[in-house]
Amino acid sequence: DEGYSKKAKVNISEKQKQIFGYQLFNSEKLSFEPPVNIPVPQNYILGIDDEVTISVWGNNQKTYQLKVQSNGAVNIPDVGPVYVSGMEYSKAKELIKKRLMSIYSNMAGSNPSTFADVAVSNARSIKVNVIGEAMIPGTYTLPSTASAFNALYLSGGPNENGSFRNIKVIRDNKTIGTIDVYDYIINANTASNIQLREQDIIYVPVYEKRVWASGEFKRKGLFELKENEKVADLLKYTGGLTEKAFKSQLSVTRFTE
């Protein structure tokens, strides 16, 4: 869809290339391009401008292509408005089938001869704001099936000063989730990759603590640590020590005032 935002063009500084996590949103080999024309999940929340296809087959045959109107309803001929906006797709499907029984009586009972199915044939677009220490903060237009990682990808992810460990998803002035990119990279945990809604805000705060790891680590560079994390956590993020490492000594240099 031409109306969707494209990935922002970003200039990566040498320092940024050394920050662990930056490559997730800025790699040619990995793309979090928002999904277009994929089947919506059963827990997808229907909204205004979603397009719904209702297929009736068996003794009766009919196809309806309907849009969720500004009043939140799909208007089925001879049935009337069925209010589905804000409802989960699975529940809306059952409600529409129930309402269709008023005009297709042989859909009901234990031995029906007419059947119906409901599909979201064209998902609406949503606008999401990426603010704070993102590479390219701004308003992005995505399909309503998009997730937080899709929006971060379009914005280029956190910038030189941005946190990879404490990204907030804000909805209706409440933080509904916190994204820790390291948890995704190290543990493949997708739990924080929240499905977005219209006018969600993704806020990238400034990082709090970074540690430089050099020498015989499997991964070298700048690693962001949370307040309570220790050397053992850093070793996990670096992938551990190489076989050349002198394991009985690890030196820590701390810059103080």
Side-chain angles (χ1 to χ4, degrees), residues 87-203:
M87 194 180 273
E88 279 191 4
Y89 168 51
S90 59
K91 293 189 172 74
K93 203 155 51 167
E94 291 312 309
L95 177 63
I96 288 169
K97 286 181 186 178
K98 201 170 165 187
R99 292 291 300 276
L100 284 169
M101 288 175 191
S102 65
I103 55 169
Y104 300 111
S105 56
N106 51 6
M107 271 179 70
S110 57
N111 194 19
S113 57
T114 298
F115 308 89
D117 193 32
V118 181
V120 177
S121 46
N122 197 3
R124 68 195 184 277
S125 62
I126 56 171
K127 283 187 165 51
V128 170
N129 298 304
V130 183
I131 63 170
E133 299 297 323
M135 290 288 282
I136 312 285
T139 301
Y140 291 87
T141 303
L142 305 99
S144 52
T145 47
S147 69
F149 274 35
N150 299 136
L152 281 168
Y153 172 78
L154 293 179
S155 73
N159 65 19
E160 223 170 83
N161 295 318
S163 171
F164 282 83
R165 310 291 312 273
N166 194 26
I167 300 166
K168 310 281 188 208
V169 181
I170 300 165
R171 182 175 295 160
D172 300 329
N173 293 323
K174 290 189 190 78
T175 299
I176 61 153
T178 302
I179 296 168
D180 180 350
V181 174
Y182 285 18
D183 193 23
Y184 176 80
I185 296 173
I186 302 295
N187 304 316
N189 184 0
T190 59
S192 63
N193 191 15
I194 294 161
Q195 189 174 341
L196 297 171
R197 293 196 198 165
E198 177 72 23
Q199 292 304 318
D200 277 354
I201 293 168
I202 296 175
Y203 169 59

Side-chain angles (χ1 to χ4, degrees), residues 18-146:
Q18 295 166 336
I19 299 168
F20 180 64
Y22 102 92
Q23 67 275 38
L24 190 68
F25 304 113
N26 294 287
S27 165
E28 288 176 10
K29 294 176 182 167
L30 183 66
S31 168
F32 283 101
E33 201 67 51
V36 181
N37 298 330
I38 61 159
V40 301
Q42 293 298 311
N43 63 352
Y44 173 78
I45 304 294
L46 284 164
I48 292 159
D49 286 340
D50 275 334
E51 283 182 21
V52 173
T53 299
I54 304 167
S55 305
V56 178
W57 73 95
N59 277 4
N60 301 85
Q61 295 188 352
K62 183 92 176 168
T63 302
Y64 304 90
Q65 282 198 299
L66 308 167
K67 194 177 260 199
V68 181
Q69 303 296 322
S70 54
N71 64 350
V74 286
N75 208 353
I76 305 173
D78 302 320
V79 172
V82 181
Y83 294 92
V84 294
S85 183
M87 194 180 273
E88 279 191 4
Y89 168 51
S90 59
K91 293 189 172 74
K93 203 155 51 167
E94 291 312 309
L95 177 63
I96 288 169
K97 286 181 186 178
K98 201 170 165 187
R99 292 291 300 276
L100 284 169
M101 288 175 191
S102 65
I103 55 169
Y104 300 111
S105 56
N106 51 6
M107 271 179 70
S110 57
N111 194 19
S113 57
T114 298
F115 308 89
D117 193 32
V118 181
V120 177
S121 46
N122 197 3
R124 68 195 184 277
S125 62
I126 56 171
K127 283 187 165 51
V128 170
N129 298 304
V130 183
I131 63 170
E133 299 297 323
M135 290 288 282
I136 312 285
T139 301
Y140 291 87
T141 303
L142 305 99
S144 52
T145 47

